[in-house]
Amino acid sequence: MTEPDAISGAVCVTCADEALPGTVVRMLGRDLAVVETGGRQERVSVALVDAMVGDTVLVHAKEALVVVDRAVDEDGPGSDAAFPDTVPMDVVVTGEIPERITRQVAERLTETAALRRELMDVSAERLTRCAEAMAQRFAEGGRLFTFGNGTSSTDAQELAALFSCSPRGRALPALCLAGDVAVVTALSDEAGFEAVFSTQIAAYGRPGDIAIALSTSGGSANVVRALEEAERASMLTIALAGCEGGRLAGLGFLDHLFVIPSRSVPRIHEAQTTLCHLLWELTEHAVAAVLPPVEAPTVR
């Protein structure tokens, strides 16, 4: 097990946030806990780990990533009760899936479906308006720039690929600003990681273009700065965020903000992926209404 002191002060290479160990002081449900970090307490998602009161967890962006020191309960350090989520050896040998694991998977799937339904109930009309605004920008020669950190960067790459390599035949200009490793590392070294996206927006962006930011926490400094630069360039600004929107919720200039009502990073990513696919499909339909049709690509 990793020692807490060994990881204290570690910095995430994707968003420059500091990862810190904290102690679980109270459980607020199966996926949420109060964790004390650096003398202060905050609510933290524990959806990725099976934590209990007394555990030391590594916290990053209000998400417990791993249990780094397990609390020992009254049954003693060697008991099964002290480590309730350890898979018994007979399960490893026989390959049988414990009922607990099956139940947890079913619960996660139910949560995902419920979150998506809730999101569609409150976002359907706004998604349509956003897609229409994007279609108008594309029709006038605008280009799409997407960006995000960590897993959000891969979501941003997929979104750009959907537009630029559409299976329906119409390719629209789209670029992910996190996709070129040489550019990202050079700007990180020379301008600082907080400027890695805003510098590219300043270089490429022009009035009529579109900027889409993805962030689970809504608090990444480089995402905020890029959106501010996009606003200065008179670009259409769109953001997807979890955790009540974070800093992005305070940017009054955003044209469209979609907040995922969850603090669980996995659930946020799943919901953002759904929103991205819907936004692409709606924009494709809206573009088709204002631009002449194109021949679909030949499938080989």
Side-chain angles (χ1 to χ4, degrees), residues 107-274:
E107 290 173 350
R108 294 293 192 273
L109 291 173
T110 300
E111 290 173 4
T112 297
L115 179 59
R116 287 173 171 170
R117 284 195 297 270
E118 179 183 353
L119 193 60
M120 290 304 100
D121 288 341
V122 300
S123 302
E125 184 177 344
R126 293 192 298 117
L127 269 175
T128 300
R129 292 200 303 268
C130 181
E132 290 172 347
M134 290 180 63
Q136 188 60 42
R137 297 295 181 106
F138 279 126
E140 295 172 353
R143 303 160 300 168
L144 168 63
F145 298 96
T146 66
F147 47 93
N149 295 293
T151 307
S152 292
S153 73
T154 62
D155 293 339
Q157 289 185 61
E158 182 196 9
L159 182 59
L162 281 172
F163 280 98
S164 61
C165 305
S166 173
R168 295 176 179 169
R170 181 179 297 282
L172 296 169
L175 174 69
C176 176
L177 301 182
D180 191 322
V181 174
V183 172
V184 170
T185 54
L187 289 174
S188 298
D189 180 53
E190 297 173 6
F193 196 67
E194 289 188 0
V196 72
F197 300 135
S198 60
T199 302
Q200 295 183 74
I201 290 290
Y204 304 139
R206 63 192 183 198
D209 286 340
I210 308 162
I212 296 184
L214 293 92
S215 174
T216 54
S217 69
S220 298
N222 56 7
V223 169
V224 173
R225 286 184 59 172
L227 287 168
E228 291 172 341
E229 187 63 40
E231 195 271 337
R232 282 191 289 269
S234 299
M235 297 171 62
L236 182 69
T237 53
I238 304 166
L240 284 70
C243 300
E244 301 174 354
R247 292 176 61 187
L248 297 183
L251 300 182
F253 62 80
L254 289 178
D255 295 301
H256 301 275
L257 173 62
F258 300 95
V259 177
I260 313 301
S262 174
R263 303 188 70 84
S264 168
V265 171
R267 303 293 87 76
I268 293 170
H269 278 299
E270 291 164 356
Q272 286 186 339
T273 298
T274 300

Side-chain angles (χ1 to χ4, degrees), residues 3 6 10 55 60 66-67 70 74 81 113 117 139 141 145 154 156 165 182 200 214 218 221 243 260 279 290 296 299:
E3 293 295 329
D55 285 352
H60 167 64
V66 64
V67 176
R70 177 70 76 179
E74 60 186 10
R117 284 195 297 270
F145 298 96
T154 62
C165 305
Q200 295 183 74
L214 293 92
C243 300
I260 313 301
L279 190 58
V290 296
V299 178

